[in-house]
Amino acid sequence: MIKSLFQKLLEKSGKEYKLDPNIPSKLIYITLIKRFTMLSRGFLKTGKPVFIGTKTKILNSKNISFGKSITIEKHSIIDGFAYQKIILGDCVKIGSFSNLNTTSHFSKYGKGLKMGNNSAIGDFAHFGAAGGIEIGDDVIMGSYISFHSENHNFNDTTKLIREQGVTSKGIKLGNNIWVGAKVTFLDGCIVGDNCVVAAGAVVNGIFPSNVVIGGVPAKILKQIE
């Protein structure tokens, strides 16, 4: 009975996978209680049906567009103070202990983040979104992923680096991408559709669709046929 109900709830929330028959009913009960608690917390914090973990902070929620079945796990901070709307698509998930920073300095109001449908990122993610981050649909990402959408200027030797300001090109990931753990995305990088980014890569540059990239700095390792 409980498994049948849980499967229907999965389908209603847009999940297409079938429940493993070996999953014990007790785990399903625990999950349902947790999800109900997170949903109640989401209503209190945002006024919308968002699943929010314990001790997670949502700042300036009026500037955040929440899709259906959004999950933001525990101990995370989502900063909605940006000059563009923060957009989280349907079935987006942000892991525990993650941080979305949109304004790194008061001298420059941040641009923000757009994350597409069915995209998810693991625990301890860092979104440095001052210069703008765009993530497509169906992008799955591991833990300890970081985005840095600004670069410090440093060419003027008569000034301290911290006094020379920053440049921002933004970061863009396409659709249907698998990103391994501990990948770093630097300002100006673009990754095409249907790509794999190997764990630990430092991505700086423009990469086409249908490739596997990896390394420090990242380079094309193989084509995906």
Side-chain angles (χ1 to χ4, degrees), residues 17-146:
Y17 66 87
K18 295 296 183 181
L19 186 66
D20 187 331
N22 295 311
I23 298 292
S25 296
K26 183 177 181 179
L27 178 56
I28 294 175
Y29 279 115
I30 292 171
T31 300
L32 288 174
I33 292 170
K34 175 186 175 183
R35 296 291 285 176
F36 178 78
T37 303
M38 292 176 71
L39 183 60
S40 300
R41 187 181 295 114
F43 269 114
L44 290 174
K45 287 181 178 289
T46 69
K48 298 175 182 177
V50 182
F51 296 90
I52 295 179
T54 182
K55 296 186 178 180
T56 283
K57 297 179 180 179
I58 308 294
L59 308 179
N60 197 28
S61 63
K62 293 181 180 180
N63 194 48
I64 303 175
S65 174
F66 295 100
K68 299 176 182 177
S69 298
I70 300 292
T71 299
I72 304 170
E73 293 284 2
K74 62 185 179 182
H75 295 277
S76 295
I77 300 175
I78 305 299
D79 174 10
F81 287 102
Y83 72 80
Q84 290 187 0
K85 209 167 188 68
I86 305 297
I87 299 175
L88 303 177
D90 296 344
C91 300
V92 159
K93 180 178 179 181
I94 296 175
S96 302
F97 300 96
S98 295
N99 198 347
L100 166 61
N101 292 325
T102 56
T103 299
S104 61
H105 196 276
F106 276 13
S107 63
K108 180 184 177 185
Y109 200 32
K111 186 175 181 180
L113 167 72
K114 179 180 180 182
M115 197 165 173
N117 298 335
N118 304 306
S119 289
I121 195 164
D123 299 339
F124 297 97
H126 173 79
F127 299 94
I133 301 169
E134 184 175 341
I135 298 170
D137 299 333
D138 303 297
V139 178
I140 54 175
M141 296 171 277
S143 300
Y144 294 96
I145 307 296
S146 63

